[in-house]
Amino acid sequence: MTDSTRMTRARGRALPPVRRVVAVVTAGLLLLSGCAMDAGTAATVEGQEISESGLHEATRQFNQIAQQPVTPAQVLEVLVQLPVLDEVGDQAGVDFTDDEYRNAMVEAGLSDPHPLAVDFLRGLNIQNTLPQLGEEVPAEALAELDVQLNPRYGSWDPESATVSADPPEWITPVEEEQASGEDQR
């Protein structure tokens, strides 16, 4: 038996345990990835994805024109509620078009409002207008929303229809500079 044959056999005997470990780790990662969201997804609401990049751009843009700054979690909360807000707003007669919201944002100083920034403004307007019309958002409709939230932003509480701002300890929070779009270099 040559030295290279002995080494191959030695490696051959050593590899099965390593292969088992690799197989177990790979299977675990596949299992976890099936439970986790796609990278770059902030939330999925009723099957519709809200991207992290869109969320942060909407937050950045809104903060450019807002008197009171908002966080990505606050924007996400309104975006998660939006399917119900739209339905209740339509029934109550809050019937501004997206073009009207977009034009208002342009007049406030944004040259090209992100669609999620427009959605956020629409959601805020509906939330603020409904009480003036004597309407409210039905809590049971909000509780029934199918929401998958990226743990980076906290968790969705269907009972209160809010995004809790308490991400798990193992998640690194998004820094304010990243949320505002400032360069980290």
Side-chain angles (χ1 to χ4, degrees):
M1 198 181 291
T2 67
D3 286 338
S4 64
T5 306
R6 274 187 233 131
M7 289 181 78
T8 303
R9 284 187 181 167
R11 273 190 244 137
R13 281 185 236 123
L15 287 179
V18 171
R19 286 185 183 150
R20 280 192 288 265
V21 169
V22 169
V24 168
V25 168
T26 302
L29 289 174
L30 288 173
L31 180 63
L32 287 174
S33 69
C35 298
M37 310 196 106
D38 292 334
T41 300
T44 303
V45 182
E46 300 294 315
Q48 297 295 313
E49 182 179 299
I50 299 171
S51 71
E52 282 193 273
S53 61
L55 172 66
H56 291 288
E57 181 62 15
T59 304
R60 185 188 68 74
Q61 286 185 352
F62 189 81
N63 284 339
Q64 285 181 348
I65 61 172
Q67 293 177 352
Q68 194 76 6
V70 294
T71 66
Q74 290 170 314
V75 173
L76 188 57
E77 183 172 290
V78 171
L79 295 175
V80 166
Q81 296 175 359
L82 197 56
V84 174
L85 291 173
D86 279 340
E87 187 176 318
V88 174
D90 286 346
Q91 292 170 358
V94 182
D95 57 357
F96 296 103
T97 66
D98 280 355
D99 283 339
E100 290 173 302
Y101 289 114
R102 192 174 295 103
N103 290 338
M105 294 179 93
V106 169
E107 288 175 17
L110 288 177
S111 60
D112 187 24
H114 191 279
L116 289 178
V118 173
D119 288 346
F120 176 65
L121 181 59
R122 185 175 74 245
L124 282 180
N125 183 55
I126 295 168
Q127 284 180 336
N128 292 328
T129 303
L130 288 176
Q132 296 170 9
L133 299 173
E135 300 286 333
E136 57 184 55
V137 180
E140 59 276 357
L142 291 170
E144 291 174 3
L145 284 171
D146 179 21
V147 178
Q148 303 298 317
L149 196 66
N150 183 326
R152 174 182 301 276
Y153 301 99
S155 60
W156 173 249
D157 179 6
E159 295 304 314
S160 66
T162 59
V163 172
S164 76
D166 300 323
E169 291 177 12
W170 56 272
I171 299 275
T172 304
V174 176
E175 298 298 325
E176 287 298 319
E177 295 81 26
Q178 290 173 321
S180 67
E182 294 178 19
D183 192 3
Q184 293 291 310
R185 290 183 222 166

